[in-house]
Amino acid sequence: MDALDEKLAAVFDGKVVRKDLLHRIKKGTNVPTFVLEFLLARFCASDADDEIQAGLEAVLETLQDNYVRPNEANMAQSKVATKGKYRFIDKVHVNYVEKDKRHWAALENFDSRRVAIAEKFYRDNDRLLQGGLWAEITIAYNDIDDDDYTFYIEDLRPIQLSRFDYAAYCAGRAQFSREEWLDIILRSMGLEPAKLSHRVKLHFIARLLPLVEPNYNFIELGPRGTGKSYFFSEFSPYSTLISGGQATKATLFYNNQRKKIGLVGFWDTVAFDEVGGIKIKDPDTIQIMKDFMANGRFSRGVEVIADASMAFVGNLDLSVRQIVNSEVYDLFQPLPKEFDLAVMDRFAAYLPGWEMPKNSSDFLTGNYGFITDYLAEAFHYQLKHSNRYEEVSQRIQLGAAVEGRDEKGIKKTVAAFLKILHPAGPPEPAEFDEYVSYAVESRRRVKEQMNKRKSDDEFALINLSFINSQGQERIVFCPESQSAPATQAPARKNIHQSTQAEAPATPTPAPPAVQPDADIAVAEPPAIPALKEQHFTIHYGATGFSYESLIGPYLVNATAVVVEDPYIRANHQIQNFVRCCETLVKQGTIKKITLTTAYDDKTDIKEMAGRLDELKQSLLEMDIQLDIQINANLHDREIRIDNGWIIKIGRGLDFYQKPDSWYGIGSTDLSLRRCLETKVDIHQDPAP
């Protein structure tokens, strides 16, 4: 222990842990950091080597006996069944199932979605209902045959602090200098500050800003392997990381079918990993995102207000030097095309990820830092209960080039720095100037990229400045672009030049009888691919026919689909319908699916209803309503789309041969599976 370790352990007794112990265990486990530190704090609360070694063995033994690994779910369930009860470490979710009119617990790695749980547990721990909670759980076996569940939770102990004393946290902070506290925060993140420059230290602190400031919009783009997403996936149990895939308004903001708020209502920070791979098919999602990023509220039939910050991290594939000297590319190049200038303008800060060191054990600390969960609780408290924005507003002086969103972003960045580094009081003038300078640079990086993209001078005021504590105005530059003319003074294209050069020599045709107002821009309707009626036969043994290839092209502008098929009853037939629904979900505009089917005397109705209800619940998470109707006299098979197209497949959805092996080609990809012979008739509804 060095002097800072001893001081930290004395002031925050019981709330610190040796970070090298975490590194030694972390490499061999897939357990979140705050779970490991919970165990380390229990078993390794000593500085004696022999006691620490014994504690490490106890931690490893606990993980071996109690942590459920995803591939050991069956063995874990067997332990409970044979022993009557068993204690596990797992993440628990609690869901209210409307059909059953009761709550069920779902354990991630134990792999059971129907575990009975007493009301007291989810009443006392809200996060069980809001994204889940890591906990020590005692699961017991239910041997009563008449009950509809096999396992129930007998005891639950959250792996989080039972209470947090913010006043004690601030009192402890007051006993350290700014530089000491900065090093403590970095050591709590697992980093050794002695190996980092002061600027890089501030970059690492900047990664934490979305965790303490509500409605803070942050972006970091840079090379791979710099740990961009770690802090949002493991550092705090109050943040969640969305890894690529499709971002829907139902998941993020509000599910109209369930009447429930999305992730922004449950988490302090919603982070998007690999932001360039985000797929956004519904334009409403971007509009709601803009509203939420602007003021923390949006409307989807109901007015929703939430505090969640949004962080976007991703990779730059081009060198920064190439980008800043290019007239074509800018530092927002990896963002999806749906992220327009209005989205970019809402970023308070752009962290230069290219300045961050690559992940390496050389930068890891062997000293003491806060238990991650303790620091996460401090940040969570500050996000919910602490406001430093007004304090910053009264003290800061910004230059004339700073406009509305610039000012808001800069002030929020400075306020977040104060929360992390000065929770107990105001900083010194020189320290305050440093935070303002960093915040202005971070916002200027955003504005420079928007100025490169815009063909006019809307964002041309890029020389952002502030008045320092000596009363001097200081213009802040971004180091990577300060000497790059392509970024500082991008060329403006003449939007009329190409039109004049290509103007036809012949007279233009007469205008239409009704001429729109000259001042009104008439938007061209989106181009819709030409579709035609089709009538063909799929021959026995043919491949290349999936629901996506048959139905997908005819879903343009569709919002509702009706599937009539009397043979959606057996397990493989319901699986076919699930894959058909997946095709509809990918379209991004479908709001309602109606299935009309039938059953016979051989059908296990309870099993059929249960599987279809699981699908119904899954579609609700995508904000899609599934209605299921039974018609015993149904014989025809057809798919009706509300854009006017009707698709009739003679055999219905069940036109595939059973695979020779479920481990062979075509077992999962329907386009590679051999078909049975059937006729396909695709035509438009003749009804007006």
Side-chain angles (χ1 to χ4, degrees), residues 653-667:
L653 298 180
D654 191 12
F655 64 89
Y656 294 104
Q657 298 182 29
K658 183 179 179 181
D660 296 333
S661 166
W662 288 107
Y663 300 97
I665 298 300
S667 61

Side-chain angles (χ1 to χ4, degrees), residues 3 21 145 185 223 226 255 288 316 321 332 378 380 431 443 458 475 490 515 553 579-580 616 640 643 650 678:
L21 303 181
D145 294 336
I185 297 295
T226 57
N255 189 318
I288 295 172
L316 280 175
R321 182 179 295 274
F332 282 138
H380 173 67
E431 294 168 345
R443 175 59 190 179
E458 181 179 354
I475 297 176
Q515 187 81 342
R579 293 182 177 183
C580 178
K616 183 175 183 178
R640 296 197 304 275
N643 61 8
T678 187

Side-chain angles (χ1 to χ4, degrees), residues 63-67 72-88 110 139 141 151:
L63 290 174
Q64 180 66 34
D65 293 340
N66 303 111
Y67 175 67
E72 297 174 350
N74 188 56
M75 184 174 69
Q77 293 182 10
S78 177
K79 281 183 179 180
V80 178
T82 55
K83 297 185 178 183
K85 66 174 68 174
Y86 205 86
R87 173 169 289 186
F88 295 103
F110 188 75
I139 302 179
Y141 182 75
F151 305 107

Side-chain angles (χ1 to χ4, degrees), residues 32-43:
T33 297
F34 52 86
V35 175
L36 290 176
E37 291 189 346
F38 170 83
L39 297 173
L40 288 171
R42 175 190 293 178
F43 294 111

Side-chain angles (χ1 to χ4, degrees), residues 626-645:
L626 172 61
D627 287 345
I628 301 170
Q629 302 173 3
I630 302 298
N631 182 352
N633 298 317
L634 180 66
H635 298 288
D636 289 341
R637 304 165 177 87
E638 69 179 23
I639 299 171
R640 296 197 304 275
I641 308 171
D642 67 347
N643 61 8
W645 286 99

Side-chain angles (χ1 to χ4, degrees), residues 66-174:
N66 303 111
Y67 175 67
V68 185
R69 290 165 180 80
N71 61 343
E72 297 174 350
N74 188 56
M75 184 174 69
Q77 293 182 10
S78 177
K79 281 183 179 180
V80 178
T82 55
K83 297 185 178 183
K85 66 174 68 174
Y86 205 86
R87 173 169 289 186
F88 295 103
I89 296 174
D90 202 351
K91 189 172 185 180
V92 189
H93 306 259
V94 175
N95 303 300
Y96 179 74
V97 179
E98 185 178 1
K99 177 173 70 75
D100 298 339
K101 297 183 179 179
R102 65 172 295 175
H103 290 79
W104 292 106
L107 279 72
E108 281 198 357
N109 296 337
F110 188 75
D111 195 23
S112 180
R113 304 288 166 188
R114 200 177 176 86
V115 179
I117 184 169
E119 180 185 353
K120 64 177 181 178
F121 295 122
Y122 56 81
R123 185 186 62 228
D124 296 340
N125 300 282
D126 290 342
R127 292 193 69 80
L128 288 172
L129 296 162
Q130 302 171 359
L133 181 73
W134 280 89
E136 287 183 309
I137 320 106
T138 299
I139 302 179
Y141 182 75
N142 177 34
D143 54 7
I144 301 175
D145 294 336
D146 292 340
D147 288 341
D148 57 352
Y149 59 89
T150 306
F151 305 107
Y152 66 93
I153 291 178
E154 184 179 86
D155 188 33
L156 184 148
R157 179 183 178 184
I159 299 181
Q160 287 183 256
L161 296 177
S162 57
R163 61 176 56 88
F164 175 73
D165 188 342
Y166 184 64
Y169 175 78
C170 291
R173 161 64 182 94

Side-chain angles (χ1 to χ4, degrees), residues 394-428:
Q394 293 173 8
R395 187 169 175 178
I396 198 170
Q397 297 184 67
L398 299 171
V402 175
E403 300 173 294
R405 287 211 170 103
D406 303 329
E407 179 180 356
K408 182 179 179 181
I410 291 167
K411 288 181 177 179
K412 287 178 78 70
T413 299
V414 176
F417 267 106
L418 297 190
K419 288 182 179 182
I420 293 174
L421 297 178
H422 303 273
E428 296 296 324

Side-chain angles (χ1 to χ4, degrees), residues 200-312:
V200 172
K201 288 182 184 182
L202 292 182
H203 288 339
F204 276 109
I205 297 298
R207 282 182 171 174
L208 303 176
L209 301 185
L211 300 176
V212 297
E213 184 67 17
N215 303 131
Y216 184 80
N217 305 313
F218 167 91
I219 184 168
E220 178 185 354
L221 302 176
R224 293 167 178 80
T226 57
K228 293 186 289 294
S229 58
Y230 163 78
F231 299 101
F232 306 113
S233 62
E234 297 199 21
F235 186 77
S236 171
Y238 294 103
S239 67
T240 186
L241 182 71
I242 300 175
S243 298
Q246 185 172 336
T248 67
K249 56 180 179 283
T251 301
L252 293 175
F253 301 109
Y254 192 80
N255 189 318
N256 276 334
Q257 300 296 334
R258 288 186 174 275
K259 308 298 182 188
K260 288 185 178 180
I261 193 171
L263 295 175
V264 297
F266 296 142
W267 301 94
D268 290 355
T269 305
V270 177
F272 298 82
D273 193 14
E274 304 292 351
V275 63
I278 293 177
K279 297 178 177 63
I280 301 173
K281 292 193 174 181
D282 190 340
D284 286 351
T285 302
I286 285 291
Q287 187 54 53
I288 295 172
M289 182 181 288
K290 291 176 187 177
D291 293 343
F292 182 76
M293 292 173 72
N295 50 33
R297 66 178 65 198
F298 60 89
S299 178
R300 281 205 74 200
V302 294
E303 186 78 12
V304 178
I305 302 175
D307 290 330
S309 295
M310 285 195 158
F312 302 84

